Amino acid sequence: MDNPAILEQPYITITNIIWSFDRETNQLQVLLVKRASNPYADYWALPETFMRAQESADEAALRLVKEKIGLTLSNYHTEQLATFTHNDRAPGERALSLAYMTFLPEMPPLKAGYGALDAHWFTFSATEAGQFSLTYRQLHFLTATSHSQHSYYKHFEIARGRDYLAFDHDWILKVACQRIKNKLNYQPNILLVLGHDFTLKEARTVYAAFFGIPVKAIDNSNFKKTHQHLFKEVGTTTRRQIGRPAKLYKLAQIEE
Amino acid sequence: MDNPAILEQPYITITNIIWSFDRETNQLQVLLVKRASNPYADYWALPETFMRAQESADEAALRLVKEKIGLTLSNYHTEQLATFTHNDRAPGERALSLAYMTFLPEMPPLKAGYGALDAHWFTFSATEAGQFSLTYRQLHFLTATSHSQHSYYKHFEIARGRDYLAFDHDWILKVACQRIKNKLNYQPNILLVLGHDFTLKEARTVYAAFFGIPVKAIDNSNFKKTHQHLFKEVGTTTRRQIGRPAKLYKLAQIEE
DNA sequence: CTTATTAAAGTACTAATTACTTATATTAGA
DNA sequence: TCTAATATAAGTAATTAGTACTTTAATAAG
């Protein structure tokens, strides 16, 4: 094998797209951190870390999750997305990025962690054309002016196409979207953001988010017929709410 | 970002699964090299190289192709497969492997290249269960014994499950098979081994190889109906052969 | 007990897939 | 040149899967 002196050994970065689901708003969430240092200081970015000597990339990706949300979670699923290697993807340095995705079964509070000024869940929404946006709502309570006793939402919007995200992270997210959409009909691991089991409506909500259409646009009965082979009935929801209780399903995991 | 001293910077290896198609035997081919040095000296392996400072991984993968087959080819397609990072995948050292696949439109003669004692095209065949084997036929002409003026085939067979391939290359190949099979119904780039255009029968031959079934088991008429949206008619074959001439198709490339 | 609500279950229609048959374009040989 | 053999295109009927829509069932609230 050719073994040239490797003059500039690149940084090996693990980038993890951490997905979750907000059960109050029924919206998909992506974890972003505000970078503390250069390059791209103050930019929102996907969580990243350097790989350590004794760990595999998968372990490093999980370490990122633990760092941001603590060790309380036991139930998560991580899979590899792709590796990004273009030599101009980081300014002034050579950095490979091994990108992963983690699907969290809940939406825990966040810690900024090392190298980050801030960390937040951003609401993910896609358009029918395959574009997406990430929005972070910060609630502000005003004091005694015209908006007194009201609240308003301050929106930070990160749209693909503008370079609001650090590095090539908008591109990485686009690849992630495409991968998830492609797998929706044979291995919809994204549904793990719903936890161990889920109702068909919850599943349709996630699907609709990626197609950029309202949940209503996916018929429940037909969705069941076409996706039943992917799901396994595990009971009925015990949530006390108006209307007939929904059945619960889990993923009938397909081996890769 | 946390930046611990990276004590043991791992080797960054590019591994390329180079596919082609033998038009004489109508069989899929995979390029393997016999390793010259440790680890795994004398073992058959997928072609590998170290990434260089100024190139991206994609470029390194293409460099491997050029090294094995020369610069004569202009028409090839390379895509990323996955990255393999387990810390025990190479004995006594830490080596990441960024795995790629290249689909060559012909089956050119090979050069061993740096670090290799030998290089050969191995015939790929899969079973219905998803297993596969790689076989290399070396033609021997005997001299004046009982087999005089006859030839026989000496088979070197590399079966998955036995560790005949270096490193985790049998596993990498298994991942490759699965990926190709998954994409067969929406982005069958593997058909690029057939060149710019191909007949439906040739396409069915490639599909059949991955399903481990005979070509006859795939009905031409039905195959056309179900895959027509992936292909674009580009004319009729000019090859002089018995029977009605087949139409030629090319891939109607779907953007990823 | 009734109504509103939610989701499951069913139904009729349409599109896609499958198994099979027929038609067509070519070469080889009488 | 005519016929047989061959290879592939093209067509057909039956089945299966997918879609739009309707009905039934289970629950909470009043």
Side-chain angles (χ1 to χ4, degrees), chain A residues 108-138:
Chain A
L110 301 175
K111 305 168 196 167
Y114 301 117
L117 299 170
D118 205 355
H120 270 285
W121 291 112
F122 279 67
T123 295
F124 170 90
S125 63
T127 66
E128 255 180 288
Q131 300 291 82
F132 66 86
S133 68
L134 297 168
T135 312
Y136 150 49
R137 293 177 175 180
Q138 188 169 19

Side-chain angles (χ1 to χ4, degrees), chain A residues 213-227:
Chain A
I213 56 173
V215 201
K216 293 179 181 182
I218 306 174
D219 181 271
N220 191 59
S221 187
N222 296 337
F223 182 78
K224 184 183 175 180
K225 279 184 224 165
T226 50
H227 294 84

Side-chain angles (χ1 to χ4, degrees), chain B residues 116-136:
Chain B
L117 298 170
D118 204 356
H120 270 287
W121 291 111
F122 279 67
T123 295
F124 169 90
S125 62
T127 66
E128 254 179 288
Q131 301 291 84
F132 66 86
S133 69
L134 298 169
T135 315
Y136 149 49

Side-chain angles (χ1 to χ4, degrees), chain A residues 35-223:
Chain A
R35 290 176 58 84
S37 53
N38 277 315
Y40 290 103
D42 277 325
Y43 277 71
W44 289 102
L46 295 165
E48 292 191 324
T49 189
F50 290 113
M51 198 168 70
R52 292 180 184 166
Q54 293 308 319
E55 71 188 355
S56 70
D58 309 63
E59 287 160 358
L62 284 179
R63 182 161 54 74
L64 271 173
V65 175
K66 287 175 184 163
E67 183 184 308
K68 301 299 171 198
I69 64 170
L71 293 160
T72 49
L73 280 180
S74 58
N75 187 22
Y76 38 66
H77 172 85
T78 295
E79 63 185 48
Q80 197 179 80
L81 176 62
T83 297
F84 298 83
T85 67
H86 281 284
N87 53 20
D88 58 353
R89 57 178 298 282
E93 62 186 34
R94 189 71 205 280
L96 306 184
S97 168
L98 314 201
Y100 284 77
M101 293 195 288
T102 294
F103 307 116
L104 287 187
E106 38 186 304
M107 198 179 92
L110 301 175
K111 305 168 196 167
Y114 301 117
L117 299 170
D118 205 355
H120 270 285
W121 291 112
F122 279 67
T123 295
F124 170 90
S125 63
T127 66
E128 255 180 288
Q131 300 291 82
F132 66 86
S133 68
L134 297 168
T135 312
Y136 150 49
R137 293 177 175 180
Q138 188 169 19
L139 201 56
H140 285 259
F141 291 96
L142 299 182
T143 56
T145 63
S146 60
H147 291 92
S148 178
Q149 288 173 329
H150 289 85
S151 62
Y152 74 95
Y153 290 107
K154 188 175 176 189
H155 288 249
F156 294 93
E157 184 170 281
I158 292 174
R160 219 200 70 74
R162 309 181 218 157
D163 41 358
Y164 281 24
L165 277 178
F167 302 106
D168 52 358
H169 288 187
D170 59 338
W171 174 254
I172 294 177
L173 265 165
K174 199 191 167 204
V175 173
C177 281
Q178 195 56 56
R179 175 72 55 85
I180 291 169
K181 275 175 84 169
N182 285 343
K183 289 181 115 182
L184 241 29
N185 288 315
Y186 74 99
Q187 201 179 57
N189 287 336
I190 182 67
L191 294 181
L192 293 169
V193 298
L194 298 171
H196 172 266
D197 42 38
F198 48 84
T199 66
L200 289 184
K201 189 176 188 182
E202 288 165 348
R204 286 188 290 126
T205 303
V206 173
Y207 276 61
F210 281 95
F211 293 129
I213 56 173
V215 201
K216 293 179 181 182
I218 306 174
D219 181 271
N220 191 59
S221 187
N222 296 337
F223 182 78

